[in-house]
Amino acid sequence: MKIRIRGNSIRYRLDKTDIASLQEQQQVEEITTIGAGTLHFSIHAKAGEPSIVMNANKVQLFLPADQVSTWTSTEQVGFKHELPNADGSVLHLLIEKDFKCLTERDEDESQAFNNPAQSC
């Protein structure tokens, strides 16, 4: 899972392995070690409205299970949600499938989805 944060927006990009985990276990998690600590980002499929919780070193995103099921089992690229923050601002979320880059990169993209903009 790739996570991009900019201002009040978080973009989650999931590859085929992440999608399989979300389908089978109803959750996917990415852990990054920073010094002596760890930072956890996770997505969970569950009934109800979308929500996000941040506690200490964890950011947990909860998405409607039916929306996740439709997204993971179709060609749908992604979807958006906007969630209110306690200070009155809005958190913008984008959850999408991770596509292979069209240019060479020093990154393992073996589990990325084929890019629809790729020439045949």
Side-chain angles (χ1 to χ4, degrees):
M1 178 168 41
K2 296 178 185 174
I3 300 133
R4 180 180 292 167
I5 300 171
R6 185 170 189 168
N8 271 12
S9 69
I10 305 175
R11 178 182 181 193
Y12 294 85
R13 290 174 38 196
L14 283 71
D15 66 18
K16 292 176 184 178
T17 303
D18 299 325
I19 296 286
S21 176
L22 198 52
Q23 287 174 319
E24 295 165 12
Q25 301 167 11
Q26 299 298 293
Q27 68 180 27
V28 62
E29 181 175 38
E30 191 69 41
I31 300 171
T32 300
T33 301
I34 303 172
T38 57
L39 181 58
H40 300 249
F41 278 86
S42 60
I43 297 176
H44 305 264
K46 68 170 199 128
E49 296 296 313
S51 63
I52 194 164
V53 177
M54 186 174 82
N55 292 317
N57 63 341
K58 293 183 180 182
V59 177
Q60 298 174 295
L61 176 59
F62 299 93
L63 297 170
D66 56 342
Q67 183 178 40
V68 169
S69 178
T70 299
W71 174 62
T72 60
S73 61
T74 66
E75 297 296 317
Q76 180 183 349
V77 173
F79 55 93
K80 298 177 183 182
H81 283 291
E82 293 183 347
L83 301 177
N85 288 316
D87 67 357
S89 65
V90 175
L91 177 64
H92 302 273
L93 300 167
L94 177 60
I95 301 89
E96 58 189 0
K97 293 174 181 165
D98 187 31
F99 293 122
K100 292 179 183 175
C101 291
L102 296 177
T103 58
E104 284 294 319
R105 295 177 65 169
D106 187 23
E107 182 177 320
D108 178 12
E109 293 187 326
S110 61
Q111 291 302 308
F113 291 88
N114 288 329
N115 194 315
Q118 185 176 8
S119 357
C120 296

